[in-house]
């Protein structure tokens, strides 16, 4: 389930940066060794990005192809149009995380995950089959002609080449046109989902929606969060869902151990299988007693669990699900913080002290530090648990230095200041 809260104060037109790629992202020719490879195709490269001087390309075509991804590395501190968030998500084959992008491009008007998947497929075709530029999509959005231009773009190719997403879009234009009514009001769909999940968990078929809401409000905190996970998993009748990082279920049920959306979907499928093999009472009791791993294994899903953990790190899911809930390692909340894009999410206060955000003197430093942690945690050789150990030992700088080149003295000095924390704590 994706958060529906928009970023306060942002509009599509406020995410402005220079439209001229040749100004903000000029490619210059350098004498170079054969060790430089194109960031897009990995061929030998002779062209370097003059915006960040870190990436190399074999041609201007490759530079332009990868720009919707590289812009987020090259313009870390600059506002970026939502169309680039959309293009990046389409290239990665995942839903956008940025709340304003979700709003601008119709994902929040989708009633089901299946609709969201079809909409994402439409945008993939637009960007990477029809080769429409993100800046053009932004222009359509601002002019209010997004639906019209999408139709024009797909109608310009043969019917056989349009695929299945475009015919679906013609029947779901309300997603991008707020003037058209939703076939089923979103609020009604949420209510119907709660009734369906209530009955799935063993609730009485005679209970009215008002009865159900009253009984949910009287549940214990642990029972309520389990019911919340069931609502997320069963929200869509076609595609098993999983929590969004902004939701408390994302940490509580171990989705924070995933490295990407593919892994989150795999874990969501595992839970979806589990809730069809156990009773709701069994699930709640296992969550209460920190025995979810044993329940998963007992219900015949041990191999699926171990396969998920082999992708990441042996025992990492068990570390979250079986450890003390009151002593949850702060690194999982750090992951939550860096995965939620936008400024309206309030993370756990502990991460500000533990990971140096309290040392930041500006919003730019905070954004840079957040981007640094994301860069490190995205590396296959890094581990959230190792980062946490470095944190409590007061050795964050030494850990980060293993993964990021810090040759410039000024940068090293700045990072030493930012990564300073009160650890290790004195022993009494």
């Amino acid at each position: 389930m994706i958060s529906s809260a928009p970023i306060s104060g942002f509009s599509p037109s406020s995410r402005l940066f220079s439209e001229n790629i040749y100004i903000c992202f000029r490619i210059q020719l350098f004498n170079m060794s054969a060790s430089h490879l194109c960031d897009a195709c990995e061929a030998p490269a002779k062209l370097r990005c003059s915006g960040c001087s870190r990436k190399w390309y074999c041609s201007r075509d490759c530079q332009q192809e990868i720009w919707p991804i590289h812009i987020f590395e090259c313009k870390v501190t600059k506002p970026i149009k939502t169309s680039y968030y959309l293009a990046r998500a389409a290239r990665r084959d995942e839903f956008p995380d940025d709340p304003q992008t979700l709003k601008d491009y119709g994902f929040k008007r989708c009633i089901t995950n299946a609709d969201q998947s079809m909409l994402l497929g439409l945008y993939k075709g637009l960007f990477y089959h029809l080769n429409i530029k993100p800046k053009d999509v932004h222009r359509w959005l601002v002019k209010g002609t997004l639906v019209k231009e999408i139709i024009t773009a797909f109608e310009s190719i043969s019917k056989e080449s349009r695929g299945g997403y475009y015919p679906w879009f013609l029947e779901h234009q309300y997603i991008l046109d707020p003037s058209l009514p939703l076939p089923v009001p979103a609020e009604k769909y949420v209510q119907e989902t709660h009734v369906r999940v209530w009955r799935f968990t063993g609730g009485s078929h005679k209970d009215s929606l008002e009865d159900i809401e009253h009984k949910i409000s009287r549940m214990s905190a642990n029972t309520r969060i389990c019911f919340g996970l069931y609502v997320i998993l069963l929200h869509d009748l076609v595609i098993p869902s999983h929590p969004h990082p902004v939701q408390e279920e994302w940490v509580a049920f171990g989705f924070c151990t995933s490295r990407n959306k593919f892994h989150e979907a795999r874990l969501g499928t595992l839970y979806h299988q589990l809730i069809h093999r156990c009773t709701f009472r069994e699930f709640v009791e296992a969550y209460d007693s920190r025995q979810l791993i044993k329940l998963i294994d007992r219900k015949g899903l041990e191999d699926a669990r171990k396969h998920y953990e082999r992708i990441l790190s042996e025992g990492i899911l068990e570390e979250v699900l079986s450890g003390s809930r009151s002593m949850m390692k702060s690194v999982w909340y750090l992951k939550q913080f860096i995965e939620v894009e936008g400024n309206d999410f309030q993370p756990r206060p502990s991460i500000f002290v533990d990971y140096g955000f309290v040392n930041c003197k500006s919003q730019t430093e905070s954004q840079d530090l957040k981007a640094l942690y994301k860069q490190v945690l995205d590396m296959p050789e890094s581990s959230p648990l190792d980062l946490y150990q470095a944190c409590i030992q007061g050795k964050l700088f030494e850990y980060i230095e293993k993964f990021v080149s810090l040759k410039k003295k000024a940068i090293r000095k700045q990072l030493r200041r930012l990564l300073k924390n009160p650890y290790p704590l004195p022993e009494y």
Side-chain angles (χ1 to χ4, degrees):
M1 185 178 291
I2 298 177
S3 168
S4 60
I7 301 178
S8 175
F10 273 67
S11 65
S13 60
S14 70
R15 293 177 173 272
L16 297 178
F17 70 99
S18 174
E19 284 294 337
N20 192 341
I21 288 181
Y22 301 103
I23 294 176
C24 70
F25 195 30
R26 296 189 305 272
I27 300 295
Q28 299 176 348
L29 184 62
F30 289 84
N31 292 325
M32 53 161 288
S33 69
S35 62
H36 292 117
L37 299 178
C38 177
D39 191 47
C41 70
E42 298 187 350
K46 294 184 178 181
L47 304 172
R48 185 165 69 178
C49 169
S50 67
C52 66
S53 299
R54 292 193 298 268
K55 299 296 184 180
W56 293 78
Y57 303 96
C58 65
S59 67
R60 191 174 299 279
D61 287 342
C62 272
Q63 170 258 314
Q64 292 179 336
E65 177 187 344
I66 205 71
W67 177 240
I69 300 296
H70 181 58
I71 186 176
F72 293 91
E73 302 171 347
C74 196
K75 305 293 179 182
V76 173
T77 62
K78 302 288 182 65
I80 298 173
K81 293 182 179 71
T82 52
S83 58
Y84 285 89
Y85 285 86
L86 179 66
R88 180 179 67 172
R91 187 180 182 89
R92 292 176 172 176
D93 194 22
E94 62 184 34
F95 299 142
D97 278 337
D98 178 56
Q100 189 64 44
T101 305
L102 295 170
K103 181 179 180 181
D104 288 349
Y105 293 99
F107 289 92
K108 288 184 179 178
R109 283 177 64 82
C110 291
I111 295 174
T112 69
N113 274 19
D115 285 343
Q116 291 179 335
S117 295
M118 295 298 287
L119 183 61
L120 180 63
L122 180 81
Y123 288 129
K124 286 168 63 179
L126 195 68
F127 287 122
Y128 301 111
H129 179 55
L130 296 176
N131 296 316
I132 303 298
K133 305 296 184 187
K135 66 178 181 179
D136 293 327
V137 173
H138 173 76
R139 178 167 48 81
W140 300 347
L141 177 70
V142 173
K143 290 174 61 178
T145 60
L146 186 58
V147 172
K148 176 184 175 182
E149 296 290 356
I150 289 175
I151 292 174
T152 299
F154 277 94
E155 290 290 339
S156 68
I157 60 176
S158 67
K159 188 174 181 179
E160 294 75 20
S161 302
R162 295 171 191 166
Y165 298 113
Y166 178 62
W168 167 87
F169 174 67
L170 293 179
E171 298 178 356
H172 294 77
Q173 294 183 44
Y174 63 84
I175 288 174
L176 293 180
D177 186 351
S179 67
L180 298 175
L182 292 171
V184 179
E187 182 179 356
K188 183 179 179 182
Y189 186 81
V190 170
Q191 292 173 348
E192 291 175 350
T193 300
H194 274 74
V195 172
R196 179 161 44 85
V197 174
W198 177 256
R199 293 172 180 173
F200 181 87
T201 57
S204 172
H205 282 59
K206 296 180 180 180
D207 287 337
S208 66
L209 179 62
E210 185 177 327
D211 293 333
I212 293 171
E213 291 175 345
H214 176 70
K215 291 179 179 180
I216 291 173
S217 70
R218 295 175 64 84
M219 288 177 175
S220 68
N222 283 351
T223 303
R224 194 159 53 246
I225 196 172
C226 289
F227 187 83
L229 179 66
Y230 272 59
V231 170
I232 294 167
L233 295 172
L234 300 171
H235 170 74
D236 196 297
L237 294 173
V238 180
I239 302 175
S241 303
H242 56 83
H244 184 272
V246 77
Q247 297 172 294
E248 61 178 334
E249 291 88 353
W250 191 78
V251 172
F253 294 99
F255 291 87
C256 55
T257 63
S258 303
R259 284 195 179 272
N260 53 45
K261 294 293 185 291
F262 173 77
H263 296 152
E264 289 181 33
R266 184 181 290 271
L267 184 56
T269 299
L270 176 63
Y271 275 118
H272 195 269
Q273 292 174 324
L274 175 62
I275 66 175
H276 282 84
R277 298 187 185 191
C278 71
T279 66
F280 182 61
R281 182 175 180 178
E282 283 181 302
F283 190 92
V284 173
E285 289 177 350
Y287 179 74
D288 269 335
S289 59
R290 311 297 288 163
Q291 301 292 316
L292 274 176
I293 293 291
K294 290 185 177 180
L295 179 64
I296 290 170
D297 293 353
R298 194 167 70 245
K299 295 299 180 179
L301 296 168
E302 182 178 4
D303 288 344
R305 173 184 65 81
K306 288 184 175 180
H307 180 69
Y308 169 81
E309 290 198 317
R310 278 196 297 272
I311 297 173
L312 304 170
S313 176
E314 195 71 31
I316 195 169
L317 182 62
E318 186 171 5
E319 197 282 332
V320 174
L321 297 182
S322 302
S324 170
R325 199 167 289 125
S326 61
M327 298 293 290
M328 184 77 76
K329 290 178 172 59
S330 60
V331 71
W332 304 121
Y333 297 112
L334 172 68
K335 281 200 69 178
Q336 184 182 39
F337 180 49
I338 64 179
E339 288 297 328
V340 178
E341 298 187 37
N343 301 321
D344 58 343
F345 176 71
Q346 294 299 318
R348 293 291 180 103
S350 60
I351 73 163
F352 287 100
V353 175
D354 289 1
Y355 298 97
F357 290 95
V358 71
N359 302 321
C360 295
K361 296 180 179 179
S362 66
Q363 184 66 25
T364 297
E365 279 196 341
S366 181
Q367 290 174 345
D368 287 349
L369 186 57
K370 188 176 179 180
L372 178 65
Y373 280 124
K374 181 169 179 58
Q375 178 185 351
V376 170
L377 287 171
D378 280 347
M379 294 179 177
E381 60 271 26
S382 71
S383 162
L385 296 180
D386 289 343
L387 177 60
Y388 176 74
Q389 287 301 316
C391 168
I392 62 176
Q393 293 170 7
K395 296 182 178 180
L396 283 172
F397 179 84
E398 289 78 4
Y399 184 79
I400 296 296
E401 194 176 24
K402 295 177 182 178
F403 303 98
V404 180
S405 177
L406 304 173
K407 295 180 180 179
K408 292 184 179 180
K409 187 175 180 180
I411 294 178
R412 292 177 64 86
K413 183 178 180 181
Q414 181 191 31
L415 276 182
R416 282 192 182 277
R417 171 176 62 81
L418 292 178
L419 297 174
K420 188 176 181 179
N421 67 18
Y423 302 102
L425 296 176
E427 296 183 7
Y428 292 97

